[in-house]
Structure formats: C-alpha cells, structure tokens
Amino acid sequence: MATMSAGQAMDFSLPEAAILARLTDKLMTTDACVRAVLTAPELAAVAEERQAAPAVYLVYDGPQFQGGEGAAYRVTVVHRWIVTVAVASVARMRESASRHSEAAGIIPRVVDALYGWRPLPGWRALEPFTPPKPVYSPGFAYFPLGFQTSATGA
C-alpha cells in the first residue's frame, strides 16, 4: 500500500467521488434499477416528497482514526459512508411489502458494486459495517448500508 501524507489520508472527497461514479455506473446503466444516485448535499436540497425514487444516496459518515505504528508515526484514517436505498410507494405503511421487494432488488446490486472494490490506489478495498436500521416515512422507505475504506498517512 502506497504511503501518503496524513492530509491526503484525511481527504474523503477523492474516494467519495470514485464511489459515486462506481454506483452511478453500476446502477444507472442500460438496465437501470434506480432513477438517481446522489450525495448528501443534493439530497438536502430536495423536499422528501420531491425525491427521485428509487434512488441511492451516498452520505459521508465521518472518519475514525487508528494511531501510530512502530518507530515511525503513521495514522490510518477509516472513512465511512452510509449508502441508502430509497424507495417510494403511493401506498402507506400497510403496503411496506412492495417497498421491501423493490429495495430487495436494488440492495444486492449496491453490495456487488462496492464490496471488495478499491476506490483509488493507496486506499483499502471497501468493506461493510453495520448500518443504522431502516427508516420509514409516509410514502417512502430508506434502507441504509454501511461501507468503509481507509488510507494510511505519515
């Protein structure tokens, strides 16, 4: 694994751009299964009732730090993202089975696109972590997945 500066290891924007491009490529191609792949700022700019669905939202979940190694001080920065599959339904909560079915068709594609994939040289392959629980609102359901990568800087 190539060594980078601590500042470069802290820069989550580069792997995030690569992850976003990968999701867009894998989920919005000829047999598109989602209408949009968006980031947190794009999601924040749209009222829930106007969200594109089904969609995937990539939201940065922050860094975690792992301290020095041996005689040379190095820091490993673990960056985490919540990748949320959002599905909509005209129906209310009583018809959540159809939402589950739609999400169940998208979730494996997200996992296949990201699990074990290396976003950039010098970064470790993406691996899953336990995400928050699904969230339900009138007309929408959100199914979060967690993925993380890391880089070591000196």
Side-chain angles (χ1 to χ4, degrees):
M1 188 100 18
T3 301
M4 58 183 75
S5 73
Q8 289 170 318
M10 277 296 303
D11 185 0
F12 69 90
S13 68
L14 295 175
E16 181 171 275
I19 294 166
L20 185 65
R22 173 89 171 177
L23 288 169
T24 300
D25 179 57
K26 296 294 184 181
L27 304 177
M28 296 189 67
T29 54
T30 12
D31 58 338
C33 64
V34 298
R35 291 180 51 212
V37 177
L38 304 170
T39 60
E42 295 164 318
L43 178 60
V46 178
E48 184 179 41
E49 63 274 2
R50 303 184 114 214
Q51 290 177 20
V56 170
Y57 299 111
L58 179 64
V59 179
Y60 183 62
D61 193 38
Q64 295 179 338
F65 302 95
Q66 299 169 355
E69 301 173 5
Y73 184 76
R74 296 170 172 261
V75 63
T76 297
V77 185
V78 179
H79 293 282
R80 298 163 55 116
W81 286 267
I82 303 295
V83 181
T84 301
V85 174
V87 294
S89 174
V90 178
R92 298 289 180 195
M93 295 302 290
R94 70 182 181 280
E95 293 187 25
S96 65
S98 65
R99 293 185 209 174
H100 285 184
S101 177
E102 186 173 19
I106 300 168
I107 290 170
R109 293 181 67 178
V110 172
V111 173
D112 287 347
L114 298 182
Y115 182 66
W117 174 74
R118 186 181 306 272
L120 295 168
W123 292 80
R124 289 187 180 86
L126 288 166
E127 58 186 28
F129 66 87
T130 303
K133 293 180 180 180
V135 175
Y136 302 90
S137 69
F140 287 89
Y142 303 93
F143 298 89
L145 303 166
F147 286 93
Q148 64 187 21
T149 184
S150 62
T152 300

